[in-house]
Amino acid sequence: MDRIRVRGGRELRGSVTISGSKNAALPILAASLLVDGPIVLKNVPRLKDIDNMCRILTSLGVRCERQPDGALALEAIDKTKYSAPYDLVRTMRASFVVLGPLWARRGLGRVSYPGGCVLGHRPVDLHLKGLRAIGASIDVRDGYVTASGPVEGGTVYLAGNYGSTVLGTANVVMAAALGKGVTYIEGAALEPEVTDLCHFLNACGAQIDGIGSHLLVIEGVETLRGCEWSVIPDRIEAATYLTCAGMLNAPVSVDAVEPRHMIAVIDRLRAAGLDLEVGRSSITNVPTPDGKLVATDVTTLPYPGFPTDIQAQFMALMARASGVSVITEKVYPERFMHANELARLGARIRREGPSAIIEGTETLSGAPVMASDLRASAGLILAGLVAEGHTDVRRVYHIDRGYERIEQKLQGIGADIERISDG
Ligand code: EPU
């Protein structure tokens, strides 16, 4: 199994080109099940999760091919298949988002019920509530969820105790796009990834109003046709590299980004002492004279709040700040597996319910650590880049799910990072 070794203390400088968003691309890929005719998707990152989704779609009769120019060409060829098997689905929770499209386009959708997850309890009740509200008969048996019956349309409130649901909104929007009537989704997720999906569907002929607001109004249409689409930049990847720049007080910029999607992150990074210059499609970290980081409290929230997917990286930043900061997780209250691993590097972190209290320290020292999830592994790599000595991050398959060419991108700005294969 591979591990990533980082040696701390290198000075970084330069720019990182940000890839297309994994979490925007995944539901758009699933939407190929709804569409008649070819789709060309640009700016789709080359990642394990994308490969997994392509594998699932292929098993469902969608042709899914990378073109020589890097674009992904998709076309639903065989529309008789309706069941996404456990062996493919279990590798990635996001694959549950094929249920709505399968049901809407093929009259029947069957997807393996998602298993447990390291981020904590991750139910799919809101997905099912939404699909039921627009006409689905839902049957859960033998570890599978089946949706059947006509897509009627209807009204549903999709927010739960932790805010709205990103993929749940995507599932319901996609099904409703081909519904007989009108669907009103109240408490819809506002994440840019959801907005991108809605714009994509409209480009295919869907009629979705209120995009970017809490009330989506979807008037069902009979068919959707293929189109060409470019996926939005990955705001989480961009925020990860900016956090990294801040940790090393390095003149590093992120290019090909959409700063409007990063307001909360920019706000908190500035509060932490970073001097960020925000351009139209780039953000630059300007080194400060003393490079001091200020302890800054953060609460993760649904968009436009601070993203949970940057919580681990921000914790690594706070581990080096002067003073005590509190990070509160309001999206996944159990998402703190990285706290113990950061402590192995010398970070001083205490858990209090859904919060972590971090007492900043001047020095971290390298150690072997274990990645628990995708964003946790990014946080550990960042901490390793400022730690003395070297840090080996194990279970790097997590990082390959969501960060395109992370070693090359970090090497490109001067980091000492390598992948070691243990055979
Ligand atoms: N929730 C429910 N019931 C549901 C669905 C969700 O209670 O039916 C709860 C969840 O347990 C959580 C909250 O609602 O407490 C938000 O979950 P959400 O459904 O919005 O998460 P998701 O759509 O499954 C996406 C991203 C995650 C990201 C979250 C939150 C993708 C593929 N995944 O997941 O990304 O953390 O939104 O922003 O888009 C990652 O990329 O590393 C990642 C985990």
Side-chain angles (χ1 to χ4, degrees):
M1 215 178 274
D2 291 358
R3 60 203 144 103
I4 284 183
R5 174 166 291 179
V6 276
R7 290 187 185 80
R10 286 288 189 93
E11 284 184 12
L12 306 188
R13 69 172 53 242
S15 66
V16 181
T17 302
I18 297 306
S19 302
S21 160
K22 161 182 88 78
N23 289 351
L26 287 172
I28 293 179
L29 282 170
S32 64
L33 292 163
L34 287 171
V35 170
D36 291 318
I39 299 168
V40 176
L41 279 186
K42 296 181 170 167
N43 210 26
V44 179
R46 290 177 192 268
L47 295 169
K48 275 261 161 59
D49 274 9
I50 299 293
D51 295 343
N52 279 335
M53 184 57 99
C54 284
R55 213 164 289 137
I56 290 163
L57 291 173
T58 304
S59 81
L60 293 169
V62 177
R63 189 172 50 78
C64 191
E65 281 167 9
R66 277 280 175 187
Q67 307 292 88
D69 66 356
L72 204 56
L74 297 147
E75 186 169 3
I77 307 285
D78 176 357
K79 296 175 183 132
T80 60
K81 300 195 158 68
Y82 63 86
S83 183
Y86 174 71
D87 276 345
L88 292 176
V89 171
R90 74 185 166 82
T91 57
M92 187 178 65
R93 283 187 65 88
S95 42
F96 197 66
V97 85
V98 300
L99 182 62
L102 279 176
W103 169 50
R105 182 64 183 82
R106 301 181 181 182
L108 190 61
R110 188 168 174 266
V111 182
S112 157
Y113 200 100
C117 169
V118 69
L119 305 190
H121 186 47
R122 285 181 81 181
V124 288
D125 56 319
L126 295 170
H127 295 240
L128 303 185
K129 175 185 173 188
L131 295 176
R132 273 196 189 102
I134 61 169
S137 296
I138 299 285
D139 185 40
V140 181
R141 125 185 9 214
D142 304 331
Y144 281 81
V145 182
T146 305
S148 60
V151 186
E152 306 282 5
T155 300
V156 65
Y157 175 64
L158 271 193
N161 292 345
Y162 303 101
S164 192
T165 163
V166 173
L167 291 174
T169 303
N171 235 336
V172 180
V173 166
M174 286 192 277
L178 287 184
K180 285 202 198 108
V182 181
T183 295
Y184 299 85
I185 304 181
E186 312 252 18
L190 304 178
E191 271 69 6
E193 293 76 16
V194 173
T195 303
D196 202 35
L197 168 70
C198 292
H199 286 307
F200 163 79
L201 290 170
N202 275 359
C204 295
Q207 293 200 10
I208 306 171
D209 257 352
I211 299 176
S213 81
H214 275 305
L215 174 61
L216 291 173
V217 183
I218 305 138
E219 206 176 318
V221 296
E222 280 201 2
T223 50
L224 296 173
R225 56 179 185 275
C227 74
E228 192 175 302
W229 193 255
S230 184
V231 173
I232 55 170
D234 195 319
R235 63 193 171 105
I236 305 301
E237 189 197 18
T240 301
Y241 287 108
L242 276 182
T243 308
C244 174
M247 287 180 80
L248 286 143
N249 197 30
V252 165
S253 57
V254 288
D255 296 337
V257 298
E258 180 47 88
R260 277 179 313 160
H261 295 164
M262 298 175 62
I263 302 299
V265 168
I266 292 169
D267 178 76
R268 291 295 78 191
L269 289 177
R270 281 182 170 153
L274 275 65
D275 181 2
L276 298 180
E277 262 174 19
V278 179
R280 222 167 55 87
S281 60
S282 71
I283 307 175
T284 304
N285 181 56
V286 181
T288 57
D290 60 5
K292 279 237 175 300
L293 293 167
V294 185
T296 304
D297 294 348
V298 154
T299 298
T300 69
L301 288 168
Y303 190 82
F306 190 91
T308 172
D309 290 342
I310 291 297
Q311 187 251 103
Q313 301 88 315
F314 200 82
M315 190 178 288
L317 183 77
M318 288 299 98
R320 288 288 305 282
S322 37
V324 175
S325 55
V326 180
I327 296 183
T328 303
E329 190 35 90
K330 291 234 169 138
V331 180
Y332 295 115
E334 299 300 323
R335 192 180 197 173
F336 284 113
M337 303 271 280
H338 45 278
N340 267 333
E341 300 300 306
L342 286 170
R344 292 181 49 79
L345 302 179
R348 298 181 193 149
I349 304 171
R350 194 157 52 81
R351 270 288 299 282
E352 285 271 350
S355 298
I357 298 153
I358 303 122
E359 194 188 326
T361 169
E362 288 272 306
T363 44
L364 298 177
S365 63
V369 287
M370 205 78 97
S372 54
D373 79 90
L374 165 56
R375 310 303 173 185
S377 41
L380 294 171
I381 289 175
L382 298 199
L385 288 171
V386 296
E388 288 168 357
H390 72 261
T391 296
D392 280 358
V393 182
R394 283 162 207 267
R395 297 194 184 151
V396 293
Y397 50 85
H398 287 300
I399 204 131
D400 296 330
R401 295 184 52 191
Y403 285 91
E404 192 176 43
R405 297 184 299 108
I406 189 166
E407 300 115 273
Q408 288 91 330
K409 288 191 184 189
L410 281 170
Q411 283 160 359
I413 53 172
D416 186 341
I417 175 168
E418 62 178 324
R419 184 176 292 244
I420 299 173
S421 176
D422 292 331

